[in-house]
Each structure stands twice: as C-alpha cells, then as structure tokens.
Amino acid sequence: MFHRIAFLGVIGLTLTACSGDLSTLDPAGPYAGAIANLWWIMFIGSGLILALVLALLGLVFFKPGFGRSLSPKGWMIAGGLFLPVPVLVALMAYGMAQGEYLIGAWQNEPVVARVEAHGAMWHWGFRYPDLGDDVATDGTLHIPAGGVVEVRVTSADVVHSFWIPRLAGKIDAVPGHETVVRIKADVPGRYGGICAEYCGTGHAGMRFTVEAHPPETYRQRLTALAAGVSAP
C-alpha cells in the first residue's frame, strides 16, 4: 500500500512539474514549443531504450540460456553499435531539424517590436527604443502578443542568463557584449522570466515578469507607463 501511494505521489509531482509559470514543458509560443517537442522526443527515445534494456535483463534472469547463441563480441557489437547508432542519428536529425526551424523562423518572420534587456545584480531593466529613449520599465518586460519580439541582452557586471521558459530558449547576458534572442507569445498573458546563470548571493531572486498585451493596446500601455499613468 505504501509503495502504491509513493508511486502515485511521484507521478503527481512529475505531472505538476510539466506545467507552471517557469515550465519549459508548458510552452506559450512556437519557439518554446519547438524546444519542448525536442525534449519529449528525446524523453520517449530514451524511455524506449531503457525499456528494451530492462526487457533483455529480465530475459537473462528469468529465462536461463537466453542469448547464449550470440557471442560476447556479438552482444557488444549489437548493443554498442547497431542499437545506439540509429537512435542517435535519428535524434540528431530531429534536433537539427528543430534548430533549422528556429533559425528559419527568425529569418522569415517580421519583427514587430524591439526591446533592450539590461541585467545587473540582481534585477532586470528594459528599454523600448521603438517608442523613444524615455520609455523604460524595471522588472517587467512588456511585449505585444502574436508577434516576434527581438530582445537585445546586455549585462552591467557579471554574466547573467536571460530566460523566459515558456516563450524561448535562454541566452547569456555578457558585460560589454550584446546578444540577441527572439521571443513570441501566442496569446496575451503573464509569463515568468529568470536569470539562469548563477551570479551571486541574490541570484535566486533575479526574476522578472513578461506581460504580453493585445497588439492594439501595446503602445498605449507603454506610453501610459512612460507618463506614469496607472493601468485601468
């Protein structure tokens, strides 16, 4: 009984970990979706390999004489070459295809907004050059939903890592250097962002929020923020 309860608890925790504000397995945009799909494919592939190995191990224990027709060298060739090579080639091909998709999407989809993200111990600041030099926010990144947003990332001190798990992959924020990542939210909403590179004692609290607004109200919202007007 105890083992059954423990098993169900593990399953529940696993399913819970697949969702949430910082879950890469609960994507809210196509870029994060491509990364999540790659993870699931690798998870399924590794699970099938594990199941096969366990099945062979079970046959060895419970079926005396199983496998004796194949020499030890044959088992090494079969298990070390014929089994892993096709699997690794398939996974590599799929991973490269997803990478090409991301690169192609970045090149072909028009950018609807540009943002500058500035990391410093231990907070994030954002500027919106498309809307003017005086438009800036601290701790909250505002983007239009449904369009590609180009984020140019820098750091004021040490190496940080800019990451919005539900919208895109992570990218380093390097002092004196500018890196670029593109994000896209399918629908309006709030999404969590974090620094994914240990950067000192305040690292755990170096989080930020992404607010994706309907495209028709995005500029109005940022203009109101710049003017110090509260949202209705």
Side-chain angles (χ1 to χ4, degrees), residues 35-225:
I35 296 171
N37 289 339
L38 179 60
W39 188 92
W40 281 114
I41 291 294
M42 289 189 171
F43 175 76
I44 293 170
S46 61
L48 292 175
I49 293 174
L50 177 62
L52 176 60
V53 172
L54 291 178
L56 292 174
L57 181 63
L59 287 172
V60 169
F61 275 106
F62 299 108
K63 189 177 181 181
F66 171 79
R68 288 182 180 177
S69 59
L70 192 63
S71 67
K73 183 177 180 181
W75 275 108
M76 286 188 291
I77 293 175
L81 186 63
F82 292 156
L83 175 62
V85 168
V87 174
L88 292 175
V89 169
L91 291 176
M92 183 179 67
Y94 184 78
M96 293 179 66
Q98 291 296 79
E100 289 296 320
Y101 159 74
L102 290 173
I103 294 174
W106 284 14
Q107 292 176 343
N108 298 327
E109 292 191 55
V111 174
V112 300
R114 292 175 174 80
V115 180
E116 297 173 357
H118 190 72
M121 295 180 176
W122 286 278
H123 69 277
W124 292 95
F126 305 98
R127 299 183 62 85
Y128 307 85
D130 293 344
L131 303 179
D133 295 336
D134 58 338
V135 181
T137 57
D138 188 63
T140 302
L141 169 60
H142 297 268
I143 64 172
V148 178
V149 179
E150 182 179 272
V151 185
R152 296 187 173 273
V153 185
T154 60
S155 171
D157 33 52
V158 300
V159 175
H160 301 286
S161 184
F162 180 87
W163 190 26
I164 311 168
R166 298 186 64 200
L167 298 184
K170 64 185 72 171
I171 194 168
D172 283 343
V174 183
H177 184 69
E178 188 176 74
T179 53
V180 180
V181 64
R182 292 186 178 182
I183 62 177
K184 183 179 181 180
D186 288 332
V187 296
R190 294 173 66 90
Y191 308 97
I194 58 173
C195 171
E197 180 79 21
Y198 181 73
C199 53
T201 56
H203 164 73
M206 193 172 174
R207 298 191 174 197
F208 61 96
T209 300
V210 180
E211 289 192 14
H213 303 276
E216 62 273 12
T217 64
Y218 168 66
R219 288 180 174 269
Q220 178 183 357
R221 172 65 175 136
L222 276 176
T223 301
L225 285 171

